[in-house]
Amino acid sequence: MTLYHFVAASEAFLTVEEPLDEVLRERVRNYGEQGKAIDFWLVKRPAFLQAPELKAIADQVPQPAAAVVSTDPKFIDFMKLRLEFVAKGSFEAPSSTIPDALASAT
């Protein structure tokens, strides 16, 4: 199993109100210069928020939700500070309740 970290908020907040695309583009550019593999993703309507162990966090997030997910906890700490009005958490996947960390809910 892999430990994933995330920040989540309403999809409108992350994709319209905040310049998130600018932050992610800059990080992709930086990773390319360093030859580092991408370890973060933007997930719209993240299915992992439906897991029982994340209910307390999911209840804080307006729907439809979106999340920035990463295996790098420092990047998620940065995103929490940068975006401020987001819920932050972590989970392990694959698991019985979260088979795919990056799946979108239907």
Side-chain angles (χ1 to χ4, degrees):
M1 277 197 275
T2 301
L3 181 61
Y4 293 90
H5 308 273
F6 69 90
V7 289
S10 76
E11 186 175 338
F13 177 76
L14 285 182
T15 62
V16 177
E17 296 174 33
E18 282 295 318
L20 181 64
D21 59 335
E22 178 182 320
V23 172
L24 297 180
R25 267 197 311 271
E26 173 58 25
R27 188 138 178 113
V28 166
R29 184 196 61 74
N30 180 269
Y31 274 33
E33 289 175 358
Q34 295 180 10
K36 187 175 177 183
I38 299 295
D39 62 359
F40 61 92
W41 305 268
L42 174 64
V43 181
K44 294 181 180 179
R45 295 179 173 90
F48 66 81
L49 286 177
Q50 297 174 348
E53 62 267 31
L54 295 175
K55 182 177 179 359
I57 293 172
D59 288 347
Q60 300 172 29
V61 179
Q63 298 298 316
V68 176
V69 180
S70 179
T71 56
D72 181 353
K74 290 180 182 177
F75 177 57
I76 296 303
D77 288 343
F78 165 77
M79 294 302 294
K80 173 63 174 157
L81 293 171
R82 170 70 176 74
L83 298 171
E84 193 174 343
F85 301 109
V86 295
K88 180 181 156 196
S90 60
F91 61 90
E92 288 187 318
S95 69
S96 61
T97 57
I98 306 172
D100 181 352
L102 305 177
S104 295
T106 54

